[in-house]
Amino acid sequence: MKLLFPNDEHPPVELRDGTLIVGSAAGSAVRIAVPGVAEQHCELITEGDQTRVRALTDSAATVLNGKQVAGEAALKPGDLLLFGKVGCRVVGTAGVVRQPLPTTEEADDDMGHTRVRMAMPKFLLRGVSGPTFGKVYAMVGTLTVGRSSESDISIASDEISRQHAKLQASPAGIVVEDLGSANGTFINDKRIHTSTVLKAGDEVRFDTVRFLLLAPAHEAQQGSAGSRPVTSAAPARSGVALWIAAGIAVLVAAALGLLRYLGKI
């Protein structure tokens, strides 16, 4: 099998017997030196015709087919794999086409296949306190939060219930539902008792363990918009100055008229 990168972040990677480290560090076998990729991000373990991906950090997401990798996961041809914001496709060695992959979903008339869009998950949950500080979770589908090791987001704290809360991705944000926890679920320090939408920039707290919801794509768009020059500020200031000058002129004319009426001038 091979990995193909749609935007040429890295040449195709052939998955042979052994272990390949993916990361931004200079010594990585698959070096991807872009923001969002950790120095040692994950490793690809190939034994015969079987390859597994193993996450090496909780501070940056490794996502397989829309689900964040926790521990190890097996790869197969057709899988979509994300290292931070960098996506690649797993393909079989036979029939590999050495060209950039399409990034939009549209019909491929030549091959008869559907091209699949690869994108960063819309929302990320970053731990900002307690045992999950610095860890990042991709918000895709429905995730459970709890003390149980079987939870999608497992928090090793006695104050967290075994099944504490449920998170579900939606277009507007993340729908948070408390599952009857003993110590409560809070959004922006307000305890919730019904399903509540967590929006980008909001904070969710499970007892005292806090997370911040991030929307990387939206923040990037805002950053681009903020860098554009503002052209309307100067005309606006000029208009205000004209109104002030006109007001002063009216006041002066009124004062002169009053003085003439009183015979002072």
Side-chain angles (χ1 to χ4, degrees):
M1 292 190 294
K2 288 189 176 184
L3 301 183
L4 293 183
F5 292 79
N7 297 315
D8 295 328
E9 295 93 347
H10 195 279
V13 177
E14 188 167 354
L15 301 174
R16 297 180 177 179
D17 279 353
T19 299
L20 300 177
I21 301 294
V22 180
S24 60
S28 301
V30 182
R31 189 186 183 202
I32 307 175
V34 301
V37 177
E39 289 190 357
Q40 291 194 335
H41 197 98
C42 66
E43 57 185 8
L44 304 169
I45 307 162
T46 302
E47 298 173 345
D49 59 354
Q50 302 293 323
T51 299
R52 309 185 307 277
V53 58
R54 176 188 295 161
L56 296 178
T57 179
D58 292 319
S59 64
T62 300
V63 180
L64 177 62
N65 297 327
K67 184 175 179 62
Q68 184 162 346
V69 176
E72 291 187 1
L75 299 181
K76 63 183 183 302
D79 283 347
L80 301 179
L81 189 60
L82 282 167
F83 312 117
K85 297 181 181 180
V86 176
C88 64
R89 177 182 290 170
V90 183
V91 299
T93 304
V96 172
V97 180
R98 300 178 71 87
Q99 63 181 19
L101 293 178
T103 56
T104 57
E105 186 175 352
E106 56 186 22
D108 186 341
D109 295 333
D110 295 333
M111 301 298 294
H113 297 153
T114 298
R115 297 176 180 178
V116 180
R117 182 189 305 276
M118 291 189 291
M120 184 70 176
K122 185 176 181 180
F123 297 105
L124 298 174
L125 201 64
R126 179 183 292 277
V128 294
S129 75
T132 57
F133 178 80
K135 295 184 178 181
V136 176
Y137 301 89
M139 293 289 99
V140 180
T142 300
L143 304 179
T144 57
V145 180
R147 189 176 74 251
S148 170
S149 59
E150 297 179 357
S151 299
D152 297 300
I153 301 177
S154 179
I155 304 175
S157 171
D158 291 339
E159 286 73 29
I160 301 296
S161 298
R162 289 184 58 81
Q163 295 293 324
H164 197 103
K166 181 173 71 174
L167 310 176
Q168 184 171 6
S170 74
I174 304 300
V175 179
V176 182
E177 178 185 352
D178 186 84
L179 297 178
S181 65
N183 293 319
T185 300
F186 303 77
I187 291 181
N188 296 330
D189 285 330
K190 182 178 180 180
R191 187 165 185 170
I192 64 170
H193 300 282
T194 59
S195 296
T196 305
V197 176
L198 182 73
K199 297 182 179 180
D202 285 349
E203 182 183 275
V204 61
R205 175 162 59 86
F206 309 108
D207 185 39
T208 61
V209 181
R210 298 182 293 117
F211 294 84
L212 185 66
L213 186 66
L214 307 175
H218 179 66
E219 290 170 4
Q221 291 173 358
Q222 284 187 327
S224 298
S227 63
R228 296 172 187 155
V230 179
T231 58
S232 60
R237 287 194 294 267
S238 299
V240 172
L242 288 173
W243 279 106
I244 292 173
I248 293 173
V250 170
L251 290 174
V252 171
L256 290 174
L258 180 59
L259 291 173
R260 289 193 187 97
Y261 177 77
L262 297 174
K264 302 293 184 181
I265 58 173

